[in-house]
Amino acid sequence: MSVKIVGENCCGCRTCKTVCKFDAVAVVMDRYGFEQISIDADKCVECGACEEVCPAIHVPVSIEKHSSGAAYALDAKVREQGSSGGLFGVFARRTVLNGGCVYGAAFDDSLKLKTRSAETLDELVKLYKSKYLLCDTDDKFIEIKQKLDTGRQVLYCSSPCQVSALRLFLKKSYDNLLTVEFVCHGVGSQSLFDKSINYSEERMSSRIRRVIFRYKEKNKRASSHYYLYGCENKKKNFNKHGLYLFFPYYNAYCKQLVCRDACYDCRYAVEARGADITVGDFHGIEKYDPSIDRFAGVSMFVCNTVKGQAFFDMVRSELFVEDFDWELLKANNRFRPGSGRPKEQRRFMESVATEPFDITVKKYLRPIKDWKRLLYYKLPAPLRKIAGKIVR
């Protein structure tokens, strides 16, 4: 048996390709630009190695829970560098300072998203911030195993399905491995992201060298909805930032138009967790503690294992922490499958596959189509609460 049985449930982790000794597994792009697995029947010996490491087949069943709640980094710089409350930054910094190695998602010089390592505080910066597309694991699981086997402390942070893929690849538990998963709302393709970047470059007559999602722009109350491009042209280097509505890919992601098929009925959007610690946005924190400024950044966290709880306790002095019941957190985030595919998602992807990207943008992603949200984000903070009812 091979992973060809997975079909549209494939999450694109590439672990099957990593373990295949017969070079029978290849990554190919479908007509919509999504990375899919292809099995060469002439090379495949039906050994089942790929099936054994497939996170679409083997989903975690642990429902162990320890502490949970809201938290953010007390260090303002670490908090600013993160997408939410900077918890990953706190975890990663402690790991590096203790002589360990951190693995997470980073854009390379060509803006391709790949799993990369960091062993210094400076190297950690590239791993910060959310990146809303599929990360190429790039055979880094082999490297992680090598470090673990030498006794090196390793922190691996990724989506729930990729954390599960690593655990399946390792085939055993390691005391020196800490896994952190973020609450995931789906991933889009590198191909579509590239089209969006090319579209923006053509309109600015500049190259985009750096991209930051959820850029925390100073003095902007909706800072989590901003982006930043690091650009260059013949005359100068400069930064361009603005609301997500003006970054086509980001806009499409927020509309849930760009995700893989498996993401719309994710098998990992459940109470059972596969990582030591789960982190994510704490939506609606102002309803439970009005003193917390959610725009400055605040996270939810769940310690799922004894190991995760021990590590969290070790860094607790670097965090503001407020305990909340797991049931409350579950109601405020994606821990249930079937988030729902937007009605226009298939039409959108058909447009991506068959039409020039600028036509797709005009049809689905023009900022003026969301004039209510544009108005909302420009309003002073006191008026937002009232205007929010209109946006909804």
Side-chain angles (χ1 to χ4, degrees):
M1 187 178 290
S2 74
V3 291
K4 62 187 177 184
I5 65 173
V6 172
E8 65 180 19
N9 290 318
C10 174
C11 65
C13 71
R14 304 170 189 249
T15 316
C16 53
K17 182 177 185 297
T18 299
V19 301
C20 184
K21 297 179 180 179
F22 304 96
D23 195 29
V25 183
V27 177
V28 298
M29 300 297 167
D30 66 19
R31 66 190 300 266
Y32 303 110
F34 290 114
E35 300 89 336
Q36 305 290 357
I37 294 301
S38 175
I39 307 296
D40 187 331
D42 293 332
K43 294 180 179 180
C44 180
V45 299
E46 298 284 342
C47 67
C50 57
E51 182 201 354
E52 291 178 0
V53 298
C54 178
I57 297 173
H58 306 285
V59 181
V61 295
S62 173
I63 56 173
E64 183 182 356
K65 294 285 181 295
H66 296 273
S67 69
S68 59
Y72 59 77
L74 294 175
D75 186 323
K77 183 177 181 181
V78 174
R79 192 180 183 189
E80 180 183 348
Q81 288 175 324
S83 292
S84 299
L87 268 63
F88 170 68
V90 172
F91 301 159
R93 286 171 63 86
R94 177 58 66 94
T95 300
V96 166
L97 291 173
N98 286 349
C101 184
V102 178
Y103 286 83
F107 287 113
D108 65 13
D109 292 339
S110 300
L111 293 182
K112 307 300 181 186
L113 190 65
K114 298 184 177 182
T115 301
R116 288 294 178 259
S117 64
E119 301 190 27
T120 68
L121 295 182
D122 287 342
E123 289 176 343
L124 283 177
V125 176
K126 63 189 177 185
L127 305 183
Y128 295 154
K129 292 290 187 184
S130 301
K131 293 102 175 174
Y132 298 117
L133 56 150
L134 180 66
C135 180
D136 179 355
T137 51
D138 197 28
D139 287 335
K140 282 294 185 288
F141 288 178
I142 297 173
E143 186 177 299
I144 290 173
K145 185 178 187 303
Q146 291 171 343
K147 283 188 167 63
L148 291 170
D149 287 338
T150 65
R152 189 84 179 274
Q153 183 70 40
V154 173
L155 186 158
Y156 177 63
C157 179
S158 190
S159 61
C161 55
Q162 290 201 346
V163 168
S164 180
L166 173 62
R167 288 185 175 278
L168 291 166
F169 171 81
L170 294 174
K171 289 183 166 51
K172 69 174 186 178
S173 298
Y174 284 85
D175 291 338
N176 50 325
L177 171 66
L178 181 78
T179 54
V180 178
E181 63 180 13
F182 47 82
V183 178
C184 180
H185 294 268
V187 294
S189 71
Q190 180 73 55
S191 173
L192 181 53
F193 177 80
D194 293 344
K195 288 184 177 183
S196 179
I197 293 299
N198 292 337
Y199 172 88
S200 297
E201 286 181 333
E202 290 176 5
R203 274 144 189 79
M204 294 190 297
S205 299
S206 302
R207 290 293 303 276
I208 298 174
R209 296 296 190 183
R210 184 166 63 113
V211 174
I212 298 178
F213 291 94
R214 298 184 64 174
Y215 174 63
K216 290 181 178 176
E217 188 173 7
K218 292 181 180 180
N219 302 319
K220 295 290 187 181
R221 293 291 298 172
S223 61
S224 60
H225 300 292
Y226 279 72
Y227 72 91
L228 180 141
Y229 292 150
C231 308
E232 68 175 27
N233 55 33
K234 293 181 180 179
K235 296 180 180 180
K236 61 179 179 179
N237 295 339
F238 63 97
N239 290 332
K240 174 180 173 54
H241 48 85
L243 283 168
Y244 74 92
L245 295 166
F246 295 91
F247 178 175
Y249 181 89
Y250 199 178
N251 189 1
Y253 181 85
C254 290
K255 288 179 167 63
Q256 289 289 283
L257 298 176
V258 301
C259 298
R260 298 176 65 87
D261 281 338
C263 298
Y264 292 107
D265 193 20
C266 177
R267 298 183 178 190
Y268 286 84
V270 292
E271 293 188 37
R273 311 310 299 174
D276 296 305
I277 302 175
T278 301
V279 298
D281 294 315
F282 197 130
H283 299 294
I285 183 65
E286 64 277 6
K287 293 187 294 185
Y288 309 104
D289 187 343
S291 69
I292 296 178
D293 180 5
R294 71 183 180 92
F295 292 111
V298 59
S299 302
M300 56 73 62
F301 73 90
V302 184
C303 295
N304 301 304
T305 65
V306 171
K307 185 199 302 184
Q309 185 66 60
F311 187 89
F312 189 86
D313 290 342
M314 183 173 64
V315 301
R316 194 178 182 104
S317 62
E318 301 175 45
L319 300 168
F320 165 89
V321 179
E322 184 172 354
D323 293 327
F324 285 99
D325 186 80
W326 156 245
E327 292 297 325
L328 184 148
L329 296 180
K330 184 175 66 174
N332 280 274
N333 229 312
R334 194 185 182 198
F335 293 108
R336 296 184 182 88
S339 64
R341 185 191 300 265
K343 292 181 180 179
E344 63 181 6
Q345 192 269 342
R346 295 192 187 280
R347 295 194 300 273
F348 171 81
M349 291 308 304
E350 198 62 33
S351 176
V352 169
T354 61
E355 299 180 303
F357 190 66
D358 61 332
I359 299 299
T360 302
V361 172
K362 288 178 182 178
K363 282 184 176 180
Y364 298 95
L365 303 174
R366 291 176 62 206
I368 194 63
K369 290 172 69 70
D370 294 288
W371 64 269
K372 291 181 181 179
R373 293 189 181 277
L374 280 171
L375 174 63
Y376 172 76
Y377 292 127
K378 291 182 180 295
L379 286 174
L383 297 177
R384 286 244 181 103
K385 199 168 184 179
I386 300 172
K389 297 178 181 178
I390 300 175
V391 173
R392 296 189 192 100

